[in-house]
Amino acid sequence: MTSPPAERIFNSGDLPLLSLPGADGLITCQWTRENLGMPAPAADSDASAQRRRAQVGFVLVEPAWLVRAAAERVRAPGVDAVVLHAHASPPGRSALALAFASHLRNVLRRPAAGVDTRLGNNVVTAGLRPDLCGFEDLVRIPHLVTITDGTGAVADTVVWEIMTIDQFDGWLDGAPRPDQRAIEAHLPGLLRLRGLQRLGRLDQRLAGVLTDMLDGGPLTTRLVHRFPRVVLPLAAAA
């Protein structure tokens, strides 16, 4: 049996150093050839070395075109990840979104059978919730992400990923599409639930089934999306 993935906790050393203009646009990232498709080292790599192996750029985009431009740009040659950046977004949120894109691409993403490996590894993320109004072919996924600061304090937050409907169905791996609005409405409770599980403070009388499903691993958004009837009532009570 495959052991569950260890929880990834992001710290300031994991975040790329970005110099961003005061404008809306796309942060684009291309990892060097020797790093393409390869999993991160056991220690999740030296952050500075990861930065040296990535080419990061910025493309100015009108706000109304951000989502569509990102969806198209990530399929362009030489682009592995795209982050939507709104000028009002704190730079740290966009830096976290880029660090998480690297984590998604190198560690979590597994292309479905028959899908081009390079395209299967590409990701689109955002530090703030993207507005997908008018984009019926796209889905936004709220990933539960753990961060820490220099004091050692640990907190949970959300980084958003944008998928096509086909990518979303492949990611669900046969599970029916859940009610995305219900999941987003439960995000505060899901973040609390993730923290309680990390601290070993879940009420086993109520959360025993969830604990068995996690098998020592962290609560992930993929598990939430695959088993919302199990997780969402617990999040509501957290």
Side-chain angles (χ1 to χ4, degrees):
M1 179 181 296
T2 303
S3 59
E7 182 176 26
R8 177 69 165 88
I9 300 179
F10 291 85
N11 58 47
S12 59
D14 297 315
L15 305 188
L17 304 175
L18 300 176
S19 179
L20 301 173
D24 298 271
L26 303 176
I27 303 169
T28 63
C29 186
Q30 177 188 8
W31 283 273
T32 53
R33 178 61 55 185
E34 63 270 18
N35 199 34
L36 288 180
M38 298 298 292
D44 220 358
S45 79
D46 174 77
S48 61
Q50 284 281 26
R51 284 194 287 266
R52 287 195 298 270
R53 290 197 294 266
Q55 296 178 347
V56 179
F58 188 86
V59 180
L60 292 172
V61 179
E62 289 294 325
W65 291 95
L66 263 181
V67 173
R68 181 60 68 192
E72 294 175 354
R73 175 74 59 163
V74 81
R75 290 170 173 78
V79 176
D80 301 317
V82 172
V83 174
L84 277 69
H85 174 74
H87 75 278
S89 175
R93 293 295 306 174
S94 294
L96 177 61
L98 183 54
F100 188 70
S102 175
H103 179 61
L104 274 176
R105 184 180 168 280
N106 288 329
V107 179
L108 301 182
R109 186 65 70 247
R110 293 294 181 267
V115 175
D116 182 282
T117 302
R118 182 181 63 81
L119 294 181
N121 279 341
N122 290 347
V123 294
V124 181
T125 60
L128 301 179
R129 185 176 71 172
D131 183 359
L132 299 190
C133 182
F135 297 97
E136 297 180 358
D137 58 328
L138 301 176
V139 182
R140 64 187 176 208
I141 311 297
H143 286 279
L144 310 179
V145 179
T146 304
I147 58 176
T148 186
D149 58 20
T151 69
V154 174
D156 295 287
T157 188
V158 171
V159 171
W160 298 85
E161 180 182 8
I162 297 176
M163 294 184 185
T164 66
I165 291 294
D166 289 342
Q167 289 171 331
F168 184 51
D169 287 339
W171 183 69
L172 291 172
D173 195 24
R177 296 175 187 170
D179 184 341
Q180 293 294 101
R181 289 175 297 181
I183 290 176
E184 291 190 18
H186 282 82
L187 280 176
L190 288 168
L191 293 173
R192 290 192 295 271
L193 192 66
R194 181 176 167 99
L196 290 172
Q197 189 268 338
R198 179 190 309 110
L199 297 172
R201 293 170 52 189
L202 289 181
D203 186 339
Q204 295 306 306
R205 295 171 298 176
L206 301 176
V209 173
L210 176 61
T211 300
D212 291 342
M213 292 168 63
L214 295 174
D215 192 26
L219 176 64
T220 66
T221 195
R222 186 168 185 265
L223 186 141
V224 175
H225 279 71
R226 285 175 53 80
F227 304 101
R229 293 185 179 180
V230 175
V231 183
L232 294 188
L234 296 173

